């Protein structure tokens, strides 16, 4: 998973954005249930994501449509279940980057690779807005910007939101150093200096649940990803079961809080 905000173990189903067999997938529900057939999903028509390369991905969801973008260009897709209806169910789970919490409470569908610059907007961004800004640093006061976690912190557990909402998170699942913390890496290309590396085993980022992050209307979610393996479903982002948020691509690394010099190829 790239990003998730859900947990089927407690009627806390919300949404996730992920890669499955090279396809982009956006999944959501209006009532929090995982069992009564009200969930909806949208897939890219073709496998568009490649491994070991940086790619910018975005999903734009309105009450009548979903549109994917890859590197600023629209990608064709189709509704495979449900309807486009909004709002998405506002559960009490955190946002998780790089991991999915299964019905039994364990973490699975972990992202392996690198993730950077996760942004939430409370409007339907246009193609020109996405393509013109995807390589630009944000100052945090842009109109309709709800969150931007750019992973630029040089060390420590904090994952800071540079938008005015100031909804922050942390590496792993607690504010203490853990083996499930993704590695802080140093970048020379794309957007900026730093990004996070996920090991696909148990690494994740947790973003504290907050009402300002509820998806009540049109929404755009975007980020940079460099997956190492997407043969299984890899969650980019989710809102999960206990009010914490995670973002990521599987897998994430065990080693934590190290700044490594690396090229961003």
């Amino acid at each position: 998973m790239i990003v998730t905000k859900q947990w089927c173990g407690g009627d806390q189903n919300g949404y996730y954005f992920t890669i499955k067999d090279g396809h982009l997938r956006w999944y959501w529900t209006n009532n929090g249930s995982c069992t009564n057939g009200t969930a909806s999903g949208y897939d890219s028509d073709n496998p568009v994501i490649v491994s070991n390369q940086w790619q910018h991905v975005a999903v734009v969801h309105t009450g009548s449509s979903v549109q994917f973008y890859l590197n600023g260009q629209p990608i064709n897709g189709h509704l495979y279940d449900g309807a486009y209806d909004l709002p998405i169910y506002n559960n009490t789970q955190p946002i998780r980057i790089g991991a999915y919490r299964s019905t039994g409470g364990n973490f699975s569908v972990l992202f392996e690779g690198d993730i950077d610059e996760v942004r939430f907007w409370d409007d339907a961004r246009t193609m020109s807005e996405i393509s013109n800004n995807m390589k630009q640093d944000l100052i945090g006061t842009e109109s309709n910007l709800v969150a931007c976690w750019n992973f630029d912190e040089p060390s420590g557990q904090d994952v800071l939101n540079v938008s005015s909402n100031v909804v922050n998170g942390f590496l792993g699942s607690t504010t203490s150093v853990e083996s499930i913390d993704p590695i802080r890496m140093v970048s020379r290309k794309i957007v900026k200096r730093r990004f996070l590396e996920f090991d696909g085993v148990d690494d994740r980022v947790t973003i504290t649940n907050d009402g300002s992050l509820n998806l009540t209307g049109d929404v755009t979610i975007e980020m940079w990803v460099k997956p190492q393996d997407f043969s299984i479903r890899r969650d980019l982002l989710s809102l999960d079961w206990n009010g914490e948020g995670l973002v990521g691509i599987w897998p994430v690394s065990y080693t934590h809080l190290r700044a490594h010099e690396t090229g961003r190829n």
Side-chain angles (χ1 to χ4, degrees):
M1 294 286 178
I2 305 174
V3 179
T4 69
K5 194 178 193 295
Q6 69 173 91
W7 179 46
C8 285
D11 282 339
Q12 290 290 297
N13 199 13
Y15 60 84
Y16 63 72
F17 188 26
T18 192
I19 299 168
K20 184 179 187 297
D21 300 325
H23 294 255
L24 289 172
R25 170 168 288 187
W26 172 241
Y27 166 96
W28 69 97
T29 183
N30 303 121
N31 66 1
S33 175
C34 290
T35 59
N36 67 357
T38 61
S40 301
Y42 189 89
D43 276 354
S44 61
D45 288 343
N46 299 300
V48 294
I49 303 299
V50 297
S51 61
N52 301 309
Q53 292 184 23
W54 279 105
Q55 297 135 99
H56 184 270
V57 297
V59 57
V60 179
H61 188 170
T62 74
S64 59
S65 68
V66 169
Q67 178 66 62
F68 290 138
Y69 291 89
L70 176 66
N71 298 325
Q73 299 302 307
I75 298 297
N76 292 333
H78 60 277
L79 194 70
Y80 68 82
D81 200 6
Y84 294 116
D85 296 350
L86 292 171
I88 296 171
Y89 181 70
N90 294 319
N91 58 37
T92 60
Q93 303 311 304
I95 292 172
R96 294 186 171 86
I97 299 171
Y100 171 88
R101 193 151 201 172
S102 64
T103 301
N106 296 321
F107 290 103
S108 61
V109 196
L110 295 155
F111 183 82
E112 179 179 6
D114 305 326
I115 296 177
D116 197 8
E117 200 81 14
V118 177
R119 301 172 178 179
F120 279 52
W121 307 81
D122 65 3
D123 68 342
R125 307 288 284 173
T126 65
M127 181 178 71
S128 61
E129 287 175 324
I130 292 171
S131 61
N132 290 340
N133 288 284
M134 65 186 190
K135 295 184 180 180
Q136 303 301 316
D137 289 335
L138 301 183
I139 60 175
T141 59
E142 288 82 359
S143 297
N144 300 106
L145 180 66
V146 175
C148 176
W149 298 286
N150 59 21
F151 311 138
D152 272 350
E153 301 79 23
S155 61
Q157 291 296 103
D158 290 340
V159 173
L160 302 180
N161 180 4
V162 302
S163 83
S164 57
N165 283 327
V166 196
V167 181
N168 300 320
F170 41 85
L171 303 180
S173 61
T174 72
T175 56
S176 300
V177 174
E178 303 172 277
S179 63
I180 62 173
D181 297 343
I183 299 176
R184 295 190 184 279
M185 306 290 284
V186 177
S187 167
R188 296 191 182 96
K189 298 181 181 179
I190 308 293
V191 178
K192 56 182 192 55
R193 294 180 302 276
R194 299 180 185 276
F195 59 93
L196 293 180
E197 179 185 273
F198 296 78
D199 66 6
V201 178
D202 55 10
D203 288 1
R204 51 190 181 267
V205 170
T206 301
I207 307 298
T208 304
N209 183 54
D210 186 88
S212 66
L213 299 178
N214 290 342
L215 307 183
T216 58
D218 294 353
V219 61
T220 301
I221 298 174
E222 58 178 323
M223 70 282 292
W224 286 93
V225 299
K226 184 182 178 183
Q228 298 301 310
D229 176 21
F230 44 74
S231 58
I232 358 178
R233 190 181 68 199
R234 303 293 192 183
D235 280 359
L236 299 177
L237 180 150
S238 70
L239 179 49
D240 210 350
W241 74 291
N242 63 352
E244 302 170 341
L246 305 178
V247 180
I249 296 178
W250 300 334
V252 184
S253 159
Y254 292 113
T255 308
H256 43 273
L257 304 178
R258 298 198 312 251
H260 290 257
E261 290 290 336
T262 182
R264 197 166 184 181
N265 300 316

